[in-house]
Amino acid sequence: MTLAVTTAPPVARTEPTVTPLHGVTLTDNYAWLRDKASPETLAYLNAENAYTEAAMAPTQALQKQLYDEMLSHIKETDESVPYRMNGFFYYSRTVTGLQYPLHCRRIATGPKFDESQPEEILLDVNKLAEGQPFMSVGGMAVTPSGSILAYTTDNTGFRQYTLHIRDLATGQDLPDTAERVGSIVWAADSKTLFYTTEDEQTKRHDHLFRHTLGTETANDVLVLHEEDERFNVGVGKTRDGKLLMVEIGSHTTNECLILSAQTPTEAFQLIAPRLDDQEYYPDHRDGTLYIRTNDTGRNFRLVTAPIATPGREHWTELLPHNPDVPLEDFDLFESFLVTSRRELGLPVMDVFPLSGDRELGQSARIAFPEPTYSAGSHVNREFDTIVFRYSYQSLVSPASVFEYDIASATSTLLKMQEVPGGFDPALYASERVMITAADGVEVPVSLVYRRDSFKRDATNPLYVYGYGSYGYALPVSFSGARLSLLDRGLVLAYAHIRGGGEMGDPWHDAGKMMQKLTTFTDFTAAVEQLTAKGYGDPTRVAIEGGSAGGLLMGAVVNQRPDLFRVVLSHVPFVDVMNTMLDATLPLTVAEYEEWGNPNEADAFAYMLRYSPYDNLKPGNYPAMLVKTSLNDSQVMYWEPAKYVAKLRTLKQNDTPLLLHTNMDAGHGGASGRYDYLKEVAFDYAFLLTQLGVV
């Protein structure tokens, strides 16, 4: 089944080529699209949306059916697990019919949450969203005294946040405010706020300010300014609340500064100066810094240092570097610490008792039961505690929160996400298989399917999702919306390709910079071998990816258009060369450490080999739905728009090629939960129709 298109697609005019570089002339067509306020640009994007709407009109009933199914699997009125902090239990809740959560608290009368205490609503995001097409809360920070809330909001999707400060006794916002704010943290006096701001052009957080409650923010003290365009500034606090901490970091290098939360007007102290290709991440306990660092190996080790002399020359090893097991993170408490590592790509968590002399006791492992899953630290705000909260979910098991008792080494389930609508986990199965990449490396793939419809005879429609960039480990998570695909017989696969972080930084290194092509060949190998092993029908393969995963979609379609039947590409980074050659765009300079600097001849030549926009050529292409947002600050809307326009001039078959622009959102699409479900239903209707599944 194909979509009936009743109107002609828009045709964008072309413009002159850009200046040659390294002996190559790049075509920067459709440059006029960059002015998003111009009537011509808006008319063009709206015409594309009208074309897409007409093409998708025959699926409206299916979209409604899918939306209703997905909504039936959501507990619309629900509440998060409360966590204790500074004499209160904090939580968020949702209400049937409301798009956004309410952030609340109740007084803590003891160690257990007491529902009889009156609820205080700190922030109702639905009220913030009134009259706004988009609403996102960036950060929230309550003073140690519990009396003041600082929070940031974005009402466009452009990740441009405004600072607000609310008196919780009155519920009214104070005059104190600032624009383009990133991270926020309160000092111990509950009146001094530190916050970062971004550069207007590059959207890089480069300034740190100190604000005193009740004063004009125009008079705020500039604490530091980072001039190197590769680096971003962030501010936070150690879990024990004793130290304020600033991190100045790029993709590969960082340095941290600390300051007693009791003396916010003093100068920050540098722990250790930045060194190329070295990172370190500290926390604090009883005068000692505990530091995760990759100074001796890419998979990180754990060291300690006295707070008085924190430099590298005083680092003492606590946990050595393991070349096979990356140390992803650690959680530090008064009497224990928890490490988060990956073994064969799967998360593992070990609990170590701490003695007074900073030595680690015998570890206990938190066990996880399934062949593929996601697990990690949950909200743990109390430093002096005897329990540790962690989250767990899989492709089959809904998201859950557990509490691990340190003394008994046992876990208690606090809450499992309720999935109404007749969900029965016994109907579904998950697997983890290894595929062999072109160079012989074994690449893991996570699979899920419905037991009663799956036959390993290459007859099921196959859906494969990929990302493979920035060292991001693709999460193996539960999705109620995904049941609409599983219940229609699809086999779903999640390819943990190189460029991601499943096996630590070496896995990332193997798929970035001058190794980036590995990401794409890993993905095509996964599709080929999954169908060869009988997990899916080779003539009915759907693939999906977003952002850098949209680059993946564009690259593999150019390389192997015959391999896929349908492609969902969200906010795709497809115009690699023109974007990375424009240092005025947000993120470009910092991204040199991920993709390479195209001003260097070798990097230019290599990047040009895979840039999707530059490698389009005449031929047949699979059905494609390309989605973007007008206010995206990470992948500008004109990239996917001109990619589709150029592809229309080269595409020789009649499969659908649709572009949809969300005119009121940013990189993540719609902000409201119901609006987001409608977007997913739209995507799935396209996918199922093109696969011939109804």
Side-chain angles (χ1 to χ4, degrees):
M1 180 180 179
T2 57
L3 299 177
V5 179
T6 58
T7 58
V11 177
R13 70 171 190 264
T14 60
E15 296 204 351
T17 55
V18 298
T19 305
L21 183 64
H22 306 308
V24 177
T25 299
L26 296 175
T27 302
D28 189 20
N29 295 336
Y30 322 110
W32 54 274
L33 277 170
R34 289 184 175 224
D35 183 1
K36 73 177 182 180
S38 79
E40 186 176 18
T41 295
L42 295 175
Y44 178 77
L45 296 176
N46 283 321
E48 283 280 8
N49 282 351
Y51 174 70
T52 296
E53 184 179 352
M56 290 292 290
T59 72
Q60 287 182 354
L62 177 58
Q63 290 181 51
K64 177 64 164 57
Q65 181 183 355
L66 289 166
Y67 175 80
D68 290 342
E69 287 176 10
M70 290 185 243
L71 189 59
S72 75
H73 294 308
I74 293 176
K75 186 179 181 184
E76 296 183 69
T77 296
D78 203 2
E79 189 173 298
S80 68
V81 178
Y83 63 89
R84 183 168 174 159
M85 182 179 69
N86 295 331
F88 292 90
F89 277 101
Y90 290 84
Y91 59 96
S92 62
R93 60 183 178 88
T94 55
V95 177
T96 298
L98 297 183
Q99 292 265 26
Y100 300 96
L102 292 80
H103 298 284
C104 313
R105 70 181 181 184
R106 299 178 195 264
I107 291 175
T109 58
K112 299 297 183 181
F113 181 63
D114 184 357
E115 290 189 3
S116 69
Q117 294 299 313
E119 178 183 80
E120 180 183 0
I121 298 176
L122 307 181
L123 204 61
D124 183 347
V125 186
N126 300 282
K127 290 184 178 179
L128 299 178
E130 289 177 358
Q132 307 285 348
F134 184 95
M135 178 52 61
S136 174
V137 174
M140 295 176 61
V142 179
T143 56
S145 67
S147 59
I148 302 291
L149 168 70
Y151 67 99
T152 63
T153 60
D154 167 22
N155 66 351
T156 68
F158 197 61
R159 293 187 306 121
Q160 186 170 310
Y161 291 90
T162 299
L163 172 68
H164 314 273
I165 298 180
R166 177 166 294 186
D167 184 336
L168 294 178
T170 65
Q172 299 299 309
D173 286 349
L174 304 176
D176 314 48
T177 188
E179 297 296 328
R180 299 184 177 276
V181 171
S183 50
I184 51 178
V185 67
W186 291 101
D189 62 7
S190 292
K191 67 178 183 179
T192 305
L193 178 75
F194 289 86
Y195 64 93
T196 61
T197 62
E198 67 180 19
D199 174 76
E200 183 173 355
Q201 179 173 303
T202 64
K203 293 190 69 64
R204 178 179 67 91
H205 291 271
D206 58 345
H207 288 82
L208 174 67
F209 289 95
R210 186 179 71 237
H211 171 71
T212 301
L213 198 62
T215 65
E216 293 286 340
T217 52
N219 299 324
D220 287 351
V221 176
L222 175 62
V223 177
L224 64 85
H225 173 224
E226 174 56 44
E227 296 185 354
D228 192 325
E229 289 189 54
R230 297 174 301 160
F231 288 80
N232 275 275
V233 179
V235 64
K237 189 183 294 186
T238 54
R239 181 177 275 114
D240 65 2
K242 293 184 178 180
L243 297 180
L244 303 171
M245 186 162 58
V246 175
E247 184 203 352
I248 307 172
S250 73
H251 284 292
T252 62
T253 303
N254 77 338
E255 65 184 13
C256 297
L257 302 91
I258 53 176
L259 172 66
S260 170
Q262 299 288 342
T263 56
T265 60
E266 294 186 2
F268 278 83
Q269 172 192 9
L270 179 65
I271 293 177
R274 67 187 73 169
L275 294 176
D276 286 346
D277 298 319
Q278 283 195 23
E279 303 167 66
Y280 65 91
Y281 302 95
D283 204 344
H284 174 259
R285 169 182 175 266
D286 296 345
T288 298
L289 295 174
Y290 289 66
I291 304 169
R292 184 177 71 96
T293 177
N294 63 353
D295 61 339
T296 62
R298 297 292 288 150
N299 279 344
F300 289 83
R301 64 176 181 147
L302 189 63
V303 301
T304 60
I307 193 171
T309 54
R312 288 182 175 88
E313 65 274 18
H314 299 289
W315 289 2
T316 300
E317 185 167 275
L318 199 62
L319 283 174
H321 172 264
N322 186 327
D324 299 317
V325 181
L327 176 62
E328 288 192 323
D329 203 355
F330 72 99
D331 287 273
L332 181 65
F333 301 90
E334 177 62 47
S335 60
F336 66 96
L337 70 81
V338 181
T339 59
S340 297
R341 295 185 270 198
R342 282 187 180 267
E343 293 184 354
L344 300 176
L346 291 172
V348 295
M349 304 180 75
D350 295 304
V351 183
F352 293 86
L354 288 171
S355 60
D357 54 7
R358 278 64 173 171
E359 292 185 357
L360 297 180
Q362 182 64 41
S363 66
R365 174 154 295 184
I366 300 175
F368 305 116
E370 293 176 278
T372 183
Y373 57 86
S374 289
S377 175
H378 195 57
V379 182
N380 293 278
R381 295 294 175 83
E382 291 194 302
F383 182 68
D384 189 3
T385 180
I386 58 172
V387 294
F388 170 72
R389 287 186 177 179
Y390 65 92
S391 58
Y392 175 87
Q393 61 183 309
S394 76
L395 297 172
V396 175
S397 300
S400 302
V401 178
F402 289 85
E403 191 166 79
Y404 181 85
D405 183 89
I406 305 302
S408 64
T410 58
S411 294
T412 301
L413 175 64
L414 299 181
K415 179 174 182 174
M416 176 181 285
Q417 173 191 338
E418 184 178 334
V419 184
F423 169 68
D424 180 359
L427 295 175
Y428 307 91
S430 64
E431 291 185 41
R432 187 171 185 263
V433 300
M434 307 298 287
I435 63 101
T436 304
D439 57 2
V441 171
E442 295 290 296
V443 176
V445 177
S446 298
L447 291 154
V448 62
Y449 48 81
R450 185 165 169 137
R451 296 179 188 271
D452 56 3
S453 63
F454 172 63
K455 296 178 181 178
R456 193 167 165 178
D457 59 359
T459 59
N460 288 81
L462 177 66
Y463 161 103
V464 186
Y465 189 93
Y467 187 76
S469 293
Y470 299 108
Y472 175 69
L474 194 63
V476 182
S477 55
F478 182 84
S479 166
R482 191 173 56 215
L483 297 175
S484 291
L485 299 182
L486 294 172
D487 291 345
R488 286 172 172 81
L490 273 70
V491 173
L492 276 56
Y494 299 83
H496 305 289
I497 51 183
R498 282 173 286 183
E502 283 80 354
M503 260 68 106
D505 280 353
W507 199 250
H508 179 203
D509 296 341
K512 74 172 187 177
M513 304 287 284
M514 304 294 276
Q515 305 295 324
K516 190 60 200 172
L517 285 167
T518 304
T519 300
F520 315 133
T521 55
D522 280 2
F523 189 84
T524 55
V527 173
E528 290 174 326
Q529 292 177 41
L530 287 172
T531 56
K533 294 174 183 290
Y535 284 102
D537 180 350
T539 69
R540 292 198 294 167
V541 176
I543 60 174
E544 183 175 3
S547 194
L551 162 65
L552 171 67
M553 297 296 101
V556 299
V557 165
N558 283 346
Q559 293 172 353
R560 290 293 310 276
D562 60 302
L563 200 57
F564 319 110
R565 184 157 164 179
V566 55
V567 180
L568 297 179
S569 187
H570 296 265
V571 292
F573 174 42
V574 283
D575 188 17
V576 175
M577 305 310 299
N578 286 308
T579 294
M580 294 305 296
L581 285 167
D582 188 350
T584 68
L585 292 175
L587 307 178
T588 293
V589 173
E591 298 288 281
Y592 290 163
E593 295 178 338
E594 178 70 22
W595 313 107
N597 182 351
N599 295 293
E600 300 170 0
D602 289 347
F604 179 95
Y606 188 83
M607 296 162 73
L608 188 59
R609 291 171 63 187
Y610 65 79
S611 174
Y613 179 73
D614 298 291
N615 286 281
L616 291 172
K617 58 187 178 183
N620 294 336
Y621 286 83
M624 299 177 68
L625 171 59
V626 180
K627 302 184 75 174
T628 185
S629 295
L630 186 65
N631 296 323
D632 193 340
S633 64
Q634 291 167 263
V635 178
M636 298 302 175
Y637 66 90
W638 61 74
E639 283 200 39
K642 72 182 203 176
Y643 168 81
V644 169
K646 183 178 180 180
L647 181 54
R648 286 220 177 93
T649 69
L650 300 169
K651 187 172 173 290
Q652 296 176 340
N653 58 338
D654 61 357
T655 54
L657 173 58
L658 305 180
L659 171 70
H660 182 268
T661 303
N662 188 323
M663 307 299 280
D664 297 309
H667 198 61
S671 57
R673 58 176 179 157
Y674 297 111
D675 292 341
Y676 176 75
L677 275 188
K678 290 176 182 176
E679 291 190 341
V680 177
F682 184 92
D683 297 347
Y684 284 5
F686 180 81
L687 182 152
L688 292 170
T689 302
Q690 293 305 311
L691 290 178
V693 179
V694 293

